Structures are given as C-alpha cells and as structure tokens.
Amino acid sequence: MRSHYCGEVNETLEGQSVSIVGWMHRRRDHGGVIFIDLRDREGLVQVVCNPEDAECFAVAERVRSEYVLKIEGLVQLRPAGSDNADLRSGKIEIIAKKLEILNASETPPFPLNELLDVNEDIRLRYRYIDLRRPEMQQRLRFRSQITRQLRHFLDSNGFLDIETPILTKATPEGARDYLVPSRTHQGEFFALPQSPQLFKQLLMMSGMDRYYQVVRCFRDEDLRADRQPEFTQIDIETSFVEEEDFMNMMEEMIRGLFANVLEEALPNPFPRMTYAEAMDRFGSDKPDLRISLELVDVSDLMGEVDFKVFSSPANDPRGRVAALKVPGGNNLSRKEIDDYTKYVGIYGAKGLAYIKVNDIDAGREGLQSPILKFLPDEVISAIMQRVEAKTGDLVFFGADKATIVNESLGALRVKLGHDLDMVERGWKPLWVVAFPMFEWDEKSARWHALHHPFTAPRESDLALLDSDPEKCLSRAYDMVLNGTELGGGSMRIHKTDIQQKVFELLGINEEEAQDKFGFLLNALKYGCPPHGGLAFGLDRLVMLMTGAASIRDVMAFPKTQSASCLLTDAPSPIDDALLKELNIRLRKNPQAE
C-alpha cells in the first residue's frame, strides 16, 4: 500500500513516484492550491494538490482532520526559500497525482496539530487519538529503542531472557497484591506478582546463572507521578558474583545506553555514597546531586537550649535537629516562607523555623528570626559557623523524629532547588550503598525489611542479627539518577539458617514462613549458589530520558492516579453469573448504605 513512510521521503527521492499513507494532520488552501501535511509514525510530509488535477483536487477539498489517506505522487524540491528545517522531509514536497480517502474521521475531541493544554482525563479516555500526537509517538519509539539497547547488552553478556509466572502465590512484599480468584480451586486465589523476585532466585538455584526479563509487575498501592498499578521492570539476576563486579556491569550498561541513545557521557565510575551519608547530607536515599543545598546536623548544638522544640529531639536517640542553608535566600518573603512551612507539613513537620542573615558580621543584631530569643549567643554563633552562613543567606531548621526531619527537609531542599533555579544541568548518577537491613516501625512495634526479606546482610554484620539488628547493614545497592531511583538490588540470602533468622526478626514465625515461603526455604537446602541482582524501573528510566513529567506519558495505556482505565472503563462490575461460578458474593459497604 505504501512505498515509503511520510517522514522518510527526502531529497534523495527527487523525481521519483512514491505512495504514502497516513492521517491528514493539517490542510491549507493557498490561492487555489491545497497543501496537505500527511502524518504517520515517522513524521510529516507536505503534499501539493493542484487544481489542474481536477479529480485529485476535488478529493482534497473534502478531506478533514484525521482522515486516513493514501496519496500517490511525484517528489520534487520545494521552491527556494520555502524549506522547513524542522522536518526531515522539509526540503521536498509531493505533487499529488492520486488521492484516496481510506477512511473518514469525526472531529477529534482535541486537536493534534496544536500545542494545547488538554485535560489529562480527556487524553486518557481517547488514548488512541492522544497516541497519534508526534510527541507521544516519539516517546514510545524512544522507549522501544531503550529496551532494544538494554536487551542487546544483556544478550551480549550471557544473560538468558526467561519468563516467570504471572499467576502466582500472594507474598508480603510491602504493597497489596492484586488477587485473582481461581474457578477450579473454589475459595482460593492467585496473586499477580509485585516482582519476579522469588522466581528469579529459584532460576539461580536451577543453574541458569544469568537471567533477565522485561516484565510486567503489579502493586495495589497509592499512586504518584512515578507509580502505576502495573509497571515494567528490567529484571536482572546473576550467580557467583560479588556486588562490586555486578554494579560495575550495570554501570557499563547504563553508560552505554546514554551514550548510544542520547549521546550523553555519564561518569566512569559512578560515585558511591552510603545510606547514612545520603540521609545525613540530603535527607533522602535518592539524593539529587544537581542541587548543591545540603542538610547540616546541629543536634549537638541544641541539646542544652531551653527551647524544647529543639532540645527534645536533639536529646532523643531517634530525633534530629538539622539546618538547611539557602544561599541568597534572605529575600524570600514572609508569604513564601509560610508557603514552604505548609509544604513541609505534607511530610509531617509541625513547623519550619528560620533565621535570615542580614549582616553576618553583626552577630545576633545582624540576624532576623522569631527563634533568636530562645538561643544563646554561643549557639547562634556555632550554628552560623557550621552552616558557613554569609550575609544574604537564609537558614531553615527542622526538629523532630529523624525520619520526619529527613523527609521534610529533604523534600524542601529539592523544591527550593527548583523554585530558585539552583538545579545544575546534566546527569548526576550515583550508587547508594550500605543500607540498614531493618527499620523500626513504631506503629506495629516491629522490624521491617528496608529493601525486602531476601536481602543478604554483610558478612561482617552477621553477628548483629542476634545482638543489635538496628546496626546490621545489608549488601543492598540502589542506582540513583537526578533524584530518582532507577533501580534497586542486592546480594541475596543463599543460606537457609540466615533466611530463617531474618524471617524471625521480621515477625514471620516458622509456620507462616513455611506457608508463604516454604518452596524457597526448601530450595535453599539443595545447593543454592551465591547470587544477586537488580531491577530497573523501565517507565521511570524512559520518563527521565525523555524529560516527561509523569510515567503516564511514556506508557501506551496507563491508569489514572485512582488506578482506573478511562479508555476501557476498568475496573468494572462483573456479571452475577460469573461471580456465582467463582463462588464469590459481594457485600455492600455499610458506609455506602
């Protein structure tokens, strides 16, 4: 039906006859000559319909936006001065000899040839039209290019592409499972996998040695811009490898990806930073190194002050008092400071203290803040010295549980960086390493795995599993890029006694461990090799590399933030007959009544 894609017709085809198909992107009537911009996935090409060709011209007069057309014509160079440098086909035009309407179109719900701010719900409801936009097509083509590049690297390095089950057993991995009722096993359920974690470990026990998969994963959790109920991972696992060798290999893969796809050179090697340092300096385990602002701990300076807002967390083993200096921030208005105070409240902060530095050489008299009356001169002086304050700066303070201070000031640091145009251009990757094995949950009064229950502890910290689990560090590593976690991984537990001990610390008793993970514990008994891996979030990676604001803009058919599909109206009610067949009865929500 076609001889060439629209975007591939260029000056090398001058004088040749071509056949193209696509959608009518734009139609212009200039003094009796009709110009049609025809669009397909490869781009646009300009078609000229002259009135001398009466039959062709008559059809051209009838076409409207998004009509599907087939055009046969002659390629010629555009008149001097009329080239379009924005198009690959911008040096030529096609003189139409035959024009056929393959299908008409109703008026689209939004125009595709203008840069308009279209409501996202409308875009998702008519996703098949939204995906015709050149910007969306380019992103999905880019996504395909990324997966092709990653597959090539992994294939070239001896990894096997192996599929793992989608219908599996429900296991606790930090989010809710999507459950699938079984018709043949009445009253029992499959779960959709949150990740292939256990199956890829079983593949290592099976001797597959190196595995990867571009795999769909499912998590029934609250959504954000970088979260979806179903998402794609580049899942990787390998045996008989130390973390340094594996991390170096993953670095090489990502460096090659950026070099080949974006022509960007990433550092070699990526910098490494411990979890403790990342939290201390940036309040986050995925710090954006493009922003130079850093948190500075001042807990030791606040322990003896009379102001309990500072002294109480300063003397709490799980508390923290930290400062965040904003160079040149002295000109922030009271309203702006109040807005930032509301912002940190989202993360649990009860307030946001500050000091404006009007004249650093004037001591207390050169500072402006409601909290100055609570602080002795020597404390004020020590704080200013520690944060290296200068005239014109502003210093924010957070004081609370360390988790709240880190999360709120860490988020404020990023927001200030963007608001005040303090974000360095370019790419800043790093590895965050030496994560704690466990974190204490005060609500449930028990330990939780910081990564997942199958992460191996450091060999040197094995004794701490019995004596002091809080100090036990894991063999986990996260790759971070510009403040986004690209992928998380670890060396895995490959010995039964250690896995059982970790389950015990997590409050998973022997009976529950056998019920949920018995197949894994049994497999560990039969010669499990040392192994580890990593999973990259493909959607996040594509979002970063394309500059999209949300992963919804790099997925073909995403869900909304409420986990619904506006295109297909899913989820939707199920026929009573099918529910009866599955032995399921719906119960009305008392609150709804």
Side-chain angles (χ1 to χ4, degrees):
M1 186 171 281
R2 66 157 67 95
S3 64
H4 298 80
Y5 281 99
C6 294
E8 294 177 346
V9 182
N10 57 37
E11 61 274 19
T12 64
L13 299 173
E14 182 191 2
Q16 296 184 29
S17 295
V18 296
S19 175
I20 56 174
V21 292
W23 286 263
M24 204 284 285
H25 187 70
R26 188 183 293 108
R27 176 182 175 276
R28 307 180 303 282
D29 193 334
H30 289 179
V33 177
I34 295 176
F35 293 89
I36 291 175
D37 289 339
L38 198 67
R39 183 193 72 241
D40 62 18
R41 75 174 199 186
E42 298 298 329
L44 295 170
V45 67
Q46 178 173 283
V47 178
V48 181
C49 301
N50 291 308
E52 291 80 10
D53 194 329
E55 184 178 350
C56 183
F57 192 80
V59 177
E61 288 184 310
R62 291 163 40 209
V63 302
R64 296 293 181 266
S65 179
E66 296 309 298
Y67 273 38
V68 184
L69 307 177
K70 177 181 178 182
I71 299 175
E72 297 177 7
L74 188 67
V75 179
Q76 71 173 23
L77 295 177
R78 292 194 186 195
S82 63
D83 289 2
N84 186 343
D86 294 331
L87 297 179
R88 284 194 293 167
S89 63
K91 292 184 178 182
I92 59 91
E93 57 192 10
I94 298 174
I95 308 301
K97 300 301 180 183
K98 182 179 180 181
L99 195 159
E100 179 183 355
I101 297 175
L102 299 178
N103 211 341
S105 171
E106 295 184 5
T107 302
F110 50 86
L112 277 72
N113 57 0
E114 298 178 27
L115 295 175
L116 296 179
D117 186 14
V118 180
N119 181 278
E120 187 180 43
D121 283 358
I122 300 294
R123 290 176 51 208
L124 294 180
R125 183 168 286 112
Y126 297 94
R127 189 62 163 183
Y128 46 88
I129 295 177
D130 187 45
L131 289 177
R132 293 180 192 173
R133 293 192 300 123
E135 179 183 34
M136 293 302 297
Q137 297 218 333
Q138 183 178 4
R139 286 172 178 167
L140 291 187
R141 286 166 57 84
F142 195 86
R143 182 185 177 112
S144 177
Q145 188 179 359
I146 288 173
T147 55
R148 183 169 62 250
Q149 178 73 29
L150 295 176
R151 284 181 182 277
H152 175 72
F153 178 90
L154 292 165
D155 290 339
S156 300
N157 281 274
F159 287 83
L160 304 179
D161 183 357
I162 305 175
E163 295 177 342
T164 54
I166 292 297
L167 295 176
T168 183
K169 185 181 180 66
T171 56
E173 285 199 42
R176 300 181 189 90
D177 286 314
Y178 278 103
L179 300 178
V180 180
S182 170
R183 181 183 58 82
T184 53
H185 299 274
Q186 291 285 319
E188 298 183 352
F189 295 81
F190 293 105
L192 302 182
Q194 296 185 34
S195 79
Q197 181 62 46
L198 296 180
F199 285 106
K200 66 181 179 181
Q201 289 191 240
L202 292 172
L203 285 171
M204 296 303 101
M205 301 173 197
S206 304
M208 293 298 103
D209 197 68
R210 292 188 174 192
Y211 140 96
Y212 84 92
Q213 186 180 186
V214 181
V215 60
R216 207 70 168 164
C217 302
F218 307 86
R219 293 180 186 175
D220 187 6
E221 60 183 350
D222 296 331
L223 307 179
R224 298 194 297 268
D226 60 347
R227 295 284 175 89
Q228 281 278 296
E230 52 179 315
F231 56 95
T232 305
Q233 287 184 178
I234 306 289
D235 205 54
I236 305 167
E237 198 83 1
T238 186
S239 300
F240 302 110
V241 67
E242 297 291 344
E243 49 260 61
E244 282 298 319
D245 295 330
F246 181 72
M247 290 163 68
N248 289 338
M249 183 186 296
M250 294 299 98
E251 267 190 44
E252 182 185 351
M253 181 174 76
I254 296 300
R255 266 195 302 272
L257 175 67
F258 274 72
N260 292 321
V261 175
L262 290 182
E263 297 183 352
E264 292 277 357
L266 298 184
N268 184 10
F270 291 180
R272 311 287 173 95
M273 183 180 297
T274 66
Y275 172 88
E277 181 184 355
M279 299 304 292
D280 185 61
R281 293 173 57 191
F282 305 106
S284 171
D285 59 0
K286 43 183 180 293
D288 190 341
L289 300 185
R290 297 173 302 165
I291 301 169
S292 60
L293 303 177
E294 293 193 20
L295 278 60
V296 177
D297 197 89
V298 292
S299 299
D300 60 314
L301 302 178
M302 297 294 196
E304 302 300 323
V305 302
D306 293 332
F307 193 33
K308 289 190 176 181
V309 170
F310 286 154
S311 60
S312 292
N315 291 299
D316 183 347
R318 297 189 183 276
R320 185 182 190 192
V321 184
L324 176 64
K325 183 188 72 172
V326 184
N330 196 30
N331 57 4
L332 289 176
S333 67
R334 182 54 191 265
K335 181 184 182 305
E336 289 174 311
I337 292 174
D338 288 344
D339 288 342
Y340 287 126
T341 302
K342 292 177 183 176
Y343 178 74
V344 297
I346 298 172
Y347 300 91
K350 301 180 182 68
L352 185 63
Y354 69 91
I355 295 177
K356 284 190 171 186
V357 185
N358 297 326
D359 183 357
I360 190 65
D361 295 325
R364 177 188 290 270
E365 301 304 318
L367 307 177
Q368 177 186 346
S369 170
I371 67 170
L372 289 174
K373 58 188 175 184
F374 302 111
L375 304 178
D377 287 349
E378 61 272 17
V379 171
I380 294 172
S381 177
I383 291 172
M384 293 298 106
Q385 287 182 358
R386 184 168 295 181
V387 301
E388 299 180 355
K390 296 180 174 59
T391 297
D393 293 346
L394 180 144
V395 183
F396 283 119
F397 295 88
D400 210 313
K401 295 292 184 184
T403 52
I404 293 176
V405 171
N406 289 338
E407 192 169 2
S408 59
L409 285 190
L412 178 63
R413 168 187 173 271
V414 174
K415 183 168 178 57
L416 285 165
H418 286 276
D419 289 352
L420 304 180
D421 195 23
M422 302 175 71
V423 182
E424 183 183 341
R425 293 186 180 277
W427 304 99
K428 293 284 187 177
L430 79 153
W431 287 103
V432 178
V433 299
F435 285 82
M437 277 284 291
F438 311 102
E439 58 183 348
W440 182 254
D441 187 328
E442 293 187 355
K443 289 184 180 179
S444 60
R446 68 185 186 89
W447 297 109
H448 283 271
L450 196 64
H451 270 70
H452 55 62
F454 319 107
T455 300
R458 296 199 309 189
E459 292 288 335
S460 58
D461 289 357
L462 283 175
L464 294 173
L465 291 175
D466 291 310
S467 62
D468 195 349
E470 187 170 16
K471 292 182 180 178
C472 182
L473 298 182
S474 71
R475 298 174 69 184
Y477 36 79
D478 284 359
M479 184 185 289
V480 177
L481 180 66
N482 290 6
T484 297
E485 179 194 324
L486 281 190
S490 68
M491 295 294 110
R492 321 301 188 188
I493 297 171
H494 68 283
K495 295 183 178 179
T496 308
D497 58 335
I498 298 175
Q499 187 65 77
Q500 289 175 327
K501 180 63 182 178
V502 169
F503 283 157
E504 179 186 325
L505 284 167
L506 296 174
I508 302 173
N509 61 37
E510 187 173 345
E511 182 180 352
E512 184 182 4
Q514 279 298 325
D515 178 54
K516 291 187 168 75
F517 307 108
F519 61 94
L520 174 70
L521 293 172
N522 288 335
L524 288 173
K525 299 174 183 177
Y526 293 97
C528 176
H531 62 284
L534 182 145
F536 288 101
L538 178 62
D539 310 300
R540 290 184 188 179
L541 179 59
V542 180
M543 179 182 73
L544 276 176
M545 295 181 73
T546 60
S550 163
I551 61 171
R552 292 189 296 278
D553 285 334
V554 298
M555 302 172 76
F557 299 104
K559 304 292 189 292
T560 66
Q561 286 196 336
S562 61
S564 64
C565 176
L566 298 178
L567 174 65
T568 61
D569 196 27
S572 58
I574 295 297
D575 186 85
D576 288 342
L578 179 57
L579 290 175
K580 186 175 181 179
E581 188 177 2
L582 293 170
N583 201 28
I584 292 176
R585 184 176 63 190
L586 299 180
R587 186 177 64 182
K588 289 186 178 179
N589 186 341
Q591 291 182 347
E593 295 177 345

